[in-house]
Amino acid sequence: MSESTAPVLTLPAGAAGSRIVGIGHHQPEKIMTNDDIAQLVETNDEWIRSRTGIITRHVAADDVTVADMATAAARHALSDAGVAGTDVDLVVVATTTAADRSPNTAGRVAYALRTGVQPGASTPEGEDEPDLRNVVGPAVIDLNTACSGFAYALGVADQAIRAGSARTAVVVGAEKLTSVTDWTDRSTCILTADGAGAVVLQAADAPAVGPVVWGSEPELTPAVRIEAPVDTFVQDGRAVFKWAITRAADRARRVVEESGLSLDDIGVLVAHQANLRIIEPLAKGLGLEDRVVVTDITESGNTSAASIPLGLSKWWHAGKIPAGTPALLFGFGGGFTWAGQVVLTPAR
């Protein structure tokens, strides 16, 4: 077959861009204080606060899954957006702590949004079993780049919408980091926490989500690990801290430059909530210390892929983040990966 007679594929007409129309989050009820941590390892409240900024963190019960928290955050975001779960045609979940290989977490979230229960669970009493035989559900994707996962997931969803593969997406970051915590390791157990955050992303006539800028640091690949057969969170804290202090600002500047904006345009910084001693110098290095700098780390701890959308949602719903303003999202961590984009916050 000659090139001139080869079949021509048709590509869908994508949107000009996407925009965030709803934001939500979920945290377990149980709160663990620094004094509680001090009952497990040799430490104290002052030591933890001075080195991390963390005061409290939320811990999920044994029978609560990553999918449970992701679903709760997704429902909150859909409610905030006024969008029905049946209108969603893409679900992307960023997580590094899901216990199940299949169904993936995104598939579990999509099922629960439609039925009200997780796959395999009983339908609530008094409700009919849903007939899903002729239902076409959304595309469902799990993504694992650890602490940068939400920025990666948001980038994938935005690109899918611009490519015409989706119109309405739910993007979630959810972690049960305490399930992979060694509670005898003082260097890591003071950090970890559980929770989820989500956004609803829809096609838009003008871009309100900038291009994702992403990459990795090969020499730091082993710096943050959750490896078989032990499957507990281990990190080279000094190596991570050094990278964050010396290189993170440079990577974040690239994110802003690719958006076509300048740092003067940025009104909000939502960085991965790894450590207050990282967030504050990053803000200063970018010249953003006088803007809204999300520091949810103090009451939520480190929730890996959940930390950016969790902090964004909590501060958004608390009225601390203005509407329609450019916000820099920037995640970094295990792998060693980093990613970010500039987004316009929704209208209120």
Side-chain angles (χ1 to χ4, degrees):
M1 182 179 293
S2 68
E3 185 175 329
S4 61
T5 59
V8 177
L9 299 178
T10 299
L11 298 179
S18 70
R19 63 191 178 105
I20 295 173
V21 296
I23 309 176
H25 67 276
H26 172 79
Q27 288 182 288
E29 291 184 9
K30 181 180 178 181
I31 295 176
M32 180 176 282
T33 67
N34 291 339
D35 289 334
D36 294 328
I37 297 287
Q39 301 303 310
L40 304 175
V41 293
E42 185 178 349
T43 189
N44 57 62
D45 177 65
E46 189 279 331
W47 192 91
I48 296 173
R49 289 194 193 207
S50 65
R51 285 161 177 79
T52 70
I54 299 172
I55 301 172
T56 59
R57 71 282 292 148
H58 291 246
V59 177
D62 290 344
D63 61 349
V64 172
T65 68
V66 170
D68 292 330
M69 294 185 286
T71 300
R75 286 183 177 136
H76 186 195
L78 286 166
S79 175
D80 185 52
V83 172
T86 51
D87 292 335
V88 174
D89 49 20
L90 173 63
V91 178
V92 188
V93 176
T95 185
T96 192
T97 53
D100 302 315
R101 295 180 184 271
S102 183
N104 66 4
T105 303
R108 291 179 177 276
V109 170
Y111 183 91
L113 289 178
R114 185 174 289 271
T115 66
V117 296
Q118 291 293 339
S122 299
T123 303
E125 186 176 350
E127 295 186 17
D128 295 331
E129 192 76 28
D131 185 355
L132 303 178
R133 287 175 293 180
N134 296 313
V135 171
V136 177
V140 290
I141 304 171
D142 275 14
L143 189 152
N144 176 13
T145 58
C147 306
S148 65
F150 180 77
Y152 269 79
L154 187 63
V156 167
D158 170 62
Q159 290 172 358
I161 288 173
R162 289 191 283 114
S165 297
R167 296 286 298 178
T168 300
V170 171
V171 185
V172 189
E175 300 284 14
K176 190 176 182 180
L177 208 55
T178 62
S179 68
V180 294
T181 296
D182 177 355
W183 293 103
T184 67
D185 179 5
R186 184 177 71 165
S187 67
T188 56
C189 75
I190 62 173
L191 301 171
T192 56
D194 306 326
V199 301
V200 178
L201 204 64
Q202 285 191 327
D205 294 333
V209 174
V212 63
V213 180
W214 47 22
S216 61
E217 308 289 344
E219 79 277 15
L220 288 178
T221 299
V224 183
R225 309 185 306 280
I226 304 173
E227 295 179 321
V230 180
D231 284 334
T232 56
F233 166 49
V234 178
Q235 75 168 349
D236 182 343
R238 289 187 177 182
V240 172
F241 185 79
K242 181 179 179 180
W243 179 89
I245 296 300
T246 60
R247 298 191 207 174
D250 173 70
R251 308 300 189 260
R253 285 190 196 95
R254 288 174 53 187
V255 175
V256 177
E257 289 169 1
E258 289 297 320
S259 75
L261 302 181
S262 72
L263 285 166
D264 290 338
D265 298 314
I266 302 300
V268 181
L269 172 64
V270 193
H272 166 47
Q273 304 291 292
N275 190 314
L276 194 60
R277 292 172 64 197
I278 290 175
I279 297 168
E280 291 180 338
L282 175 61
K284 186 174 182 179
L286 294 170
L288 300 177
E289 67 271 28
D290 61 343
R291 320 294 168 82
V292 178
V293 179
V294 173
T295 54
D296 184 51
I297 179 76
T298 59
E299 60 182 46
S300 294
N302 183 337
T303 55
S304 188
S307 77
I308 288 176
L310 176 62
L312 175 66
S313 179
K314 289 177 66 178
W315 281 45
W316 170 256
H317 287 288
K320 297 179 180 180
I321 293 176
T325 193
L328 170 59
L329 313 184
F330 185 69
F332 53 89
F336 188 91
T337 64
W338 54 268
Q341 57 270 106
V342 175
V343 305
L344 296 183
T345 57
R348 289 197 181 275

